[in-house]
Each structure stands twice: as C-alpha cells, then as structure tokens.
Amino acid sequence: MTQTDLGRPRPEFVHNGIAFGCDYNPEQWSPEVWAEDVRLMREAGVDLVAINIFGWSNVQPSPDRYNFDDLDAVITLLHDNGIRVNLGTGTSSAPPWLSTQHPEILPMVSDGTTRYPGGRQAWCPSSPVFRDYALRLVEKVAERYGNHPAVALWHVSNELGCHNGRCYCPTTAAAFRSWLEKKYGSIDSLNRAWGTSFWSQRYSTWSEIDTPKLTLSSGNPGQALDFQRFSSDELLSYYRSERDVIRRHSSVPVTTNFMVAAHIDNLDYWSWAPEMDVIANDHYLDHRLPDPAAELNFAADLTRGLANGEPWLLMEQATGAVNWQPHNIAKVPGEMVRNVMTHVARGADAVCSFQWRASLQGSEKFHSALVPHAGTDSAHWRSVVELGALLDRLDEVQGSRVVADVAVIFSWESTWASDGANMPSQSVKSLDQAHAAYNAARDAGLSVQMVSPDSDLSGYGLILVPGLYLVTDAQAARLADAVAAGAHAVVTYFSGIVDHDDRVRPGGYPGAFTELLGVRSEEFFPLMPGDQMQLEWVGTASTGIANSPATLWSENLHPTTAEVMATYVDGQLPGVPAVTLNSFGNGHAWYVATELGADTLRDLITRIASEAGVKRPSDALRFGSDGVEISRRVSAEHSYLFVINHSKEDVTVASIGYELVTETSVDNTLRVPAGAVRVVREDSRA
Ligand code: GAL
C-alpha cells in the first residue's frame, strides 16, 4: 500500500479474480428490465458494473431537488445479487437546467464560438460555477453511498477531457494567466520562455495574455505548448477536487477512466497517474488506423506503464462495433476474446465494456453492448457468456505482473511540441514514430514497458527512444546514465531537438543526444511523401536485416565518435550515414536518422535486443497482428504464459504446465489453434 499525497494509505482496489463488467445505464430502462438485467448479469458472470456515469439530470432533476430513489433501488438490486458497483459521481454531463441558468459554463472553441448543450461534456474545466454545482452533487452522492457495502470503486466523471480538453473562454484565459504567473513569476521570464521577441509578440502585462485562439498565421508555439500543459493540469485539478470530496466520505478507491488511444492526446497522463488509486483505461479498436490491433497492444502496454507495472483495469471496450467511426466494423467470432486477452496479457485485472444493454434511443443506439438489440437469442450474447466463463477460469492470474526488460520512452509533452505547425515535415509525427518503434519491438517478440522520460531507466537492457523531440537536460542525462551503465539505446530521428521551452538546442542536431550518439548533423533533409532512399548496410550490420527503402526523413549526419552502420545509396545525401552506433561508457547507443521500413526496424531491434541479452517470452514464432502475441505475467507463486494466435494457422509453443482456457495439462508442446487464446500456468520445470 502506498501513501497518498494526503499522507494517508492509498486505498487499493481489491476484487476476487479478474473483474468482468460494464457500464450500466438503468435510467434508460424500466424497473422490470432492471430485474431481467441483473438475472442476465449473473448468467454472464458480470461482477462489477459502472453506474450513474451520466446520471446527473436523473438524481438532480432541478437545482434544489435530489432524487436518489432509482439509484438506491439499482444499487440494492445489484448488491443483493452479489454484483459490485463502480459508482460514477455523475458529473460528466450537466443537466439542461444548469446550462440554461448558467450559460457561462459552456466551453468555447479556438475560433471564439461557444459550443452549446445538447451533446455531452459541454462544460468549461475552469468554470467555478460548474465546479461548484458538480462538487455539490459529488458531496451528496458520496455522503449517501460512501460506506455502502456494494461500492467497490469510485468513477470520477467520465473520460475527462474527451470533448472539453481545451476551452478558450475568458474564464479559462484568467485561469491560464494564473497558471502562467505561478510558473514564470515574472512577465520577462514568460517572454523569454515563449520567445516573444519574434513577430513583435512581447507582453508587457499578464492581462494581455489570452488562450491561443485561431490566428491568421501560425501562433506562438511556446504559448500553444504551455496551453496544452495548463489544460491537462486544469482537468487534473478538477479530478482532484471531486476525489477530495469523495475522500471525506469514503475509503473506497477512486479513479477515472483514461483514454489511452491513438486519436486522443489531450492529457499528460504521466502527471495524472500518481493521483489515481488504480489506473483504469477505455480502449476501442480504431479502424481508421492501418493496424488497429497493433494500436491496442501499444495502448495496453502504455496503460500498464502508467500503472507503473502494476495491474490495471480495462474500464471500457466494445463487445462488437462502436458507432463513432466513419465505418463501424463488427468483430468476427473470436476477435473480442483476442482483444480482451491482449489487455489481460498486458496487465489488466478487469475487463469491462460499454455498455450493458444496447440503447434503443440516443446517439449511441447503434453501439454494441453485452445485450444486443437482438436479445439473448443471439451469437453475440452467447459469446459474452463464454467470455465471462473464460475470465472466471483466469481468476488466478489477477495481481500478477508482466515481465518486460525493453523500455520505450513516450512523452505526451514532446508529442504536443513536435506535432505543431511549421515543422520541417508535416508527415513526421512523433506518435507515429512511437508506434513504429513499439511495433518493431512487438513484432520482434519482445515484451515492452512504456516509460516516461522522467522514469528510472536502470534495469532495462534495451531502451527505445522514438522521436523524442522535446527533452529536458535531466531527461537526456538519465538516458545517458543508463547507457553508460551498460544499456543499449536506439534513438530515432528528430529527437533531442528542443528543451523544455521548445527552444532549439544550438550547435547541431540531435541536440541533447549528440554526445551520447556520437553524431552531429547540420541540416535536415526531409523527403516528399512517397519518395524513397535505398540503404546500404555496412559489414556485419547487413546480416539478417531486411533492406527495405527508407522514407520521410534524412539529415546531413556526420559521425564524431560513432561507427556508421548504414548509408544512403541515393536521394539527396548519397553516402551519408543513415544508421550509426556509438559506444558510450559500458553501453551502446544507436541512432536511426531516417524512417526505416517496418521489417527493417523489426530486424534491427531483434538484433540489438539479442546483443543486449534481452530475452523474449518465447522464441521462433512469427509475431505481430497476423502472427502470435506472447507475454508472461508473474506472481509470487506462478508464472503465466499468454499466447494469442492472430494468425490463420495453428501454432505450437514450447511450454509445460496447466492450460487455464481449456483446463488441460501441457507437456512440452502447447498447440494453439488459429485465432485461439491460451494461458499456461507454467510448471517450474519449464
Ligand atoms: C467512451 C465513453 C462511453 C461511450 C463509449 C462509446 O468514450 O466513455 O460513454 O460513449 O465511448 O464507445
């Protein structure tokens, strides 16, 4: 048990086995349906349900009237049936009476127009009026249910910042100014940090500073970056205010559902994570991406990174299609189980879905649910019941931790800075680089721990640093220390370029990492989309590495102390190094100065991992979204080998122990049919 910032022990989320749950919105249904719901929940083995997520207008129908009758009845019903409650504070969406009486709570977008109620989350995170009303509701809910035996977890608001991550209104501007005053102390120091000598942007008083609204040309990047930092802090402070109210009435753990996903990057969850009693994440397959399953892996590992390696809760996923993508793709048989098991294999101790019963009305009526529109006489319902039974068989893995000795450094702050306007190439996105490096490690069959640049890096044999554009001196020193102590690092292009203030580090690129990498480059040579460069790998570097063409980026790179491992054959820089290797202290630092093909990067990482002595959970398979996913969770007593077969062929894996999915023992060889999932409690002989 760790200490909270209040000096009290942090409440732990305790559950008997892997929790199986869902969002439950009984306010959309009649009490007769509730009784049927609970009967079916028991049939499926559902044991944790999130309620009151969007309950505000029901429990407080008018400013001075609260009505908890329905919530009381639902909580009692769930409790009587042994189903635990993940209790929403209900503040996610304000009722119409509040925005009618106080239109000043409505959020403003960057063009200065207000967004109206009628959807959800239409509130300004800095609004004292919204906060006041919301906290009064939280107080009532916490007072009433704080000690209720059914309540296992508090669910603050819902996906904070999903729609209202940035507000540009005058109230926010005032809060932004206070945040800036606290950060900089003097206007001169702000002017220096933002580089306001440029384009006549110098401020003489705080009151001249506004939120970074739409401008004719591009705006000030320092202002934009600080606004992103501020906006993340502002919502975190909102979270804290709800949590602190709950704390006065309840010792039950408190959390909120993160959105670690490719399409949402509003919040710096590294700063949020320490404030949660348990980390919870919502994840939906995103079919707008080229490889949705790879992004699922990334998100699950990043969530475990936020949990500091501890187990975490999958708070929402979809049992089938969502309804908010341009084309909402249903899951084929077996796919939901594979998705869910990817999360469990990567540390999730709860599997919850949005939502229990498919709505008949409202914006989400075509979103999948545990109980579909078709009812229980459906393949979908049967697959839900099977999932519940499967999770029951896996209960014993709860509490175990994933073993990983490859670190991938990821920073939301750096992503915000590097993905701004007026960069050398709009095709270079640090999130894409993070995914590429992560995928290479995954496809090499390695187990990855995602870490923040402020993390302790000791203990990792291999550290990947994809596109870490913004890096502080202290962060760069941590990496250098880890390499000097013996780690192998792979830094990819457009890293180390700017400091905390987004100020370019002069003297040659890659700025903060020139000494570590033993290289210096004088000019970037980004490529046009579609252009390619052939590479020539030097000497032994060519062995076992797929030589696909490089794209997107090159630079006029000179080695100072590094060895050249690959050069460009053509393009604008023939003969110039594309990949280098530097010995640094007891370790080795690779620089990848271009966008390698996915197979090339995978092979390179495979080779470096083996040189670094990093072990894979299992050898000799084809890994990845059309291959096999393997990871291991370890407890004090046991280790569990997870094998998820995404391929169309059966595979075999060396293993000895007891297989929990099929409840059979495994003697030397585990056979995993195409599309299936297996979990072996490994015999210590293995
Ligand atoms: C989440 C949200 C849920 C539901 C779900 C649909 O973002 O928390 O309330 O809207 O998406 O996929």
Side-chain angles (χ1 to χ4, degrees), residues 54 120 158-159 257 282 284 316 322 324 354 364 367:
F54 293 99
R120 66 176 179 183
N158 188 60
E159 292 190 341
N257 42 348
D282 294 353
Y284 293 93
E316 289 181 25
V322 298
W324 42 265
F354 178 86
E364 295 185 318
H367 195 289

Side-chain angles (χ1 to χ4, degrees), residues 182-452:
K182 210 156 141 214
K183 175 169 178 179
Y184 292 107
S186 75
I187 198 81
D188 284 348
S189 124
L190 175 138
N191 278 312
R192 268 194 303 278
W194 288 8
T196 55
S197 309
F198 178 80
W199 280 357
S200 182
Q201 292 172 348
R202 177 166 292 277
Y203 293 100
S204 50
T205 68
W206 297 103
S207 59
E208 293 161 6
I209 300 172
D210 197 359
T211 51
K213 297 204 181 69
L214 267 190
T215 41
L216 285 175
S217 69
S218 47
N220 179 301
Q223 180 192 19
L225 178 58
D226 266 344
F227 186 64
Q228 281 166 307
R229 291 172 171 140
F230 155 80
S231 300
S232 175
D233 284 0
E234 196 71 346
L235 275 160
L236 177 57
S237 108
Y238 177 81
Y239 170 83
R240 276 197 213 103
S241 66
E242 282 210 20
R243 179 204 57 197
D244 293 348
V245 172
I246 296 169
R247 278 275 162 276
R248 291 206 297 275
H249 302 282
S250 179
S251 56
V252 167
V254 185
T255 192
T256 190
N257 42 348
F258 287 178
M259 301 161 286
V260 176
H263 61 289
I264 300 179
D265 68 349
N266 277 344
L267 306 171
D268 179 3
Y269 284 131
W270 292 123
S271 64
W272 284 57
E275 309 266 357
M276 306 293 131
D277 291 338
V278 58
I279 297 294
N281 194 45
D282 294 353
H283 189 270
Y284 293 93
L285 274 191
D286 191 337
H287 289 281
R288 295 166 294 191
L289 300 171
D291 186 351
E295 192 274 334
L296 190 164
N297 283 215
F298 178 91
D301 276 340
L302 182 49
T303 306
R304 191 181 73 255
L306 291 164
N308 208 9
E310 299 286 332
W312 51 277
L313 314 177
L314 176 63
M315 195 68 99
E316 289 181 25
Q317 66 108 31
T319 51
V322 298
N323 69 315
W324 42 265
Q325 292 173 22
H327 307 96
N328 296 295
I329 311 300
K331 296 189 180 180
V332 295
E335 189 177 0
M336 173 181 59
V337 169
R338 287 194 295 279
N339 291 168
V340 160
M341 292 301 288
T342 294
H343 290 290
V344 176
R346 287 159 202 276
D349 267 2
V351 173
C352 304
S353 301
F354 178 86
Q355 63 176 329
W356 166 250
R357 191 181 272 280
S359 302
L360 302 183
Q361 292 177 295
S363 289
E364 295 185 318
K365 57 184 175 296
F366 293 118
H367 195 289
S368 61
L370 276 74
V371 183
H373 289 153
T376 52
D377 183 12
S378 60
H380 191 90
W381 170 252
R382 287 187 284 278
S383 73
V384 165
V385 174
E386 273 169 35
L387 176 64
L390 168 62
L391 292 175
D392 283 346
R393 297 200 287 281
L394 299 185
D395 275 346
E396 64 176 87
V397 309
Q398 185 228 359
S400 57
R401 295 171 58 116
V402 175
V403 186
D405 50 6
V406 178
V408 175
I409 297 183
F410 179 74
S411 156
W412 276 279
E413 206 175 41
S414 177
T415 304
W416 296 335
S418 69
D419 294 353
N422 300 336
M423 292 310 211
S425 167
Q426 286 300 313
S427 298
V428 170
K429 297 282 173 222
S430 64
L431 192 59
D432 292 348
Q433 287 196 69
H435 278 278
Y438 174 87
N439 290 347
R442 178 190 78 130
D443 295 351
L446 300 166
S447 238
V448 166
Q449 180 74 20
M450 304 291 295
V451 297
S452 109

Side-chain angles (χ1 to χ4, degrees), residues 80-119:
D80 289 349
N81 282 276
I83 299 165
R84 307 178 82 206
V85 170
N86 173 13
L87 187 55
T89 54
T91 53
S92 178
S93 275
W97 58 256
L98 180 51
S99 38
T100 306
Q101 288 183 15
H102 293 284
E104 70 273 24
I105 70 165
L106 296 172
M108 182 178 276
V109 292
S110 61
D111 67 1
T113 59
T114 299
R115 283 294 179 261
Y116 293 102

